[in-house]
Amino acid sequence: MKMRKLFVICLALTSFSACQEAPKNNVPTDPKAELAAITDVVHNFYKWYPPAGIERIDYVDSEGEFSKLDMAKVAAYHAQMMKSGFLSQAFIDNDMAYLKKYEAIWAKGKENGNEFPLSGLDYDRFLCSQEIEDFKLLTTAPVEVQGLGTEKVTAILDLEDYTAKKLELVKENGKWLISRIFCE
């Protein structure tokens, strides 16, 4: 009987103690600090990204009747992108889905990269264009954020006379990471 009472008292004290500790993920954040962190990720990604900043990995095998992905080289390419520290695993998953979608299109149309630019790879999907834009503008332009105060936001990089860049970011382990770049 005494053991039972002691157990109930310990259980009650443990429950009371747990209720006193505020959940860490509900801590309100400063909107200005969040906007600054998101802006830094977007700007710093485009400081890192220019083609001169990363090794170009040709991950398409165009030797057969139609082009296909060389999965080992795709993995190396994605590993290099992840080393930037600006991208989430969701970004890599989205990019892989994109590449697989176009690989199926190449097979159906019997597209071969030796003959013409492959569908889906005929533009830079991080810049959403065929030509290199003004990287200085990409690294300094104002960023508007929709969904601030949540763990997933949409960031719009206002590029004045150019088409705005739209990105999705997610907060993982307290850090904002790019999960998608929309080319519309």
Side-chain angles (χ1 to χ4, degrees):
M1 186 74 159
K2 282 186 177 184
M3 272 312 254
R4 187 180 207 190
K5 284 184 180 178
L6 184 59
F7 177 73
V8 170
I9 290 171
C10 285
L11 185 59
L13 287 173
T14 303
S15 297
F16 178 75
S17 172
C19 290
Q20 296 300 311
E21 191 173 323
K24 291 182 169 90
N25 59 354
N26 288 339
V27 175
T29 56
D30 175 14
K32 286 183 181 180
E34 290 292 288
L35 178 58
I38 292 165
T39 299
D40 283 348
V41 168
V42 172
H43 286 168
N44 288 328
F45 172 74
Y46 284 113
K47 285 179 185 172
W48 172 83
Y49 176 69
I54 62 172
E55 176 190 349
R56 176 75 178 123
I57 297 175
D58 185 13
Y59 48 76
V60 176
D61 176 0
S62 296
E63 294 299 316
E65 181 182 356
F66 58 88
S67 294
K68 61 184 181 280
L69 297 171
D70 179 325
M71 296 311 288
K73 289 181 179 179
V74 171
Y77 172 74
H78 282 151
Q80 178 179 263
M81 296 298 286
M82 286 298 287
K83 285 181 185 177
S84 72
F86 303 115
L87 305 173
S88 70
Q89 184 59 47
F91 181 92
I92 300 302
D93 296 344
N94 289 328
D95 192 57
M96 180 57 83
Y98 177 90
L99 292 172
K100 295 299 274 178
K101 171 184 150 186
Y102 279 101
E103 182 180 46
I105 291 170
W106 305 335
K108 285 179 186 172
K110 299 196 182 332
E111 290 187 45
N112 188 298
N114 292 324
E115 297 169 12
F116 54 86
L118 292 169
S119 299
L121 298 183
D122 52 353
Y123 70 100
D124 186 310
R125 55 190 190 280
F126 305 105
L127 299 174
C128 301
S129 67
Q130 290 181 331
E131 298 174 15
I132 295 178
E133 295 187 30
D134 179 358
F135 279 104
K136 182 169 173 60
L137 185 58
L138 289 167
T139 63
T140 59
V143 176
E144 176 190 319
V145 176
Q146 301 165 349
L148 204 54
T150 66
E151 301 293 306
K152 182 190 274 187
V153 299
T154 300
I156 299 168
L157 191 57
D158 181 4
L159 299 177
E160 300 166 359
D161 295 336
Y162 298 97
T163 304
K165 300 279 180 251
K166 183 177 172 185
L167 303 94
E168 177 184 85
L169 288 89
V170 293
K171 196 169 193 181
E172 295 180 358
N173 300 319
K175 183 178 178 186
W176 286 104
L177 299 170
I178 298 169
S179 57
R180 186 173 295 214
I181 297 174
F182 297 96
C183 295
E184 299 170 356

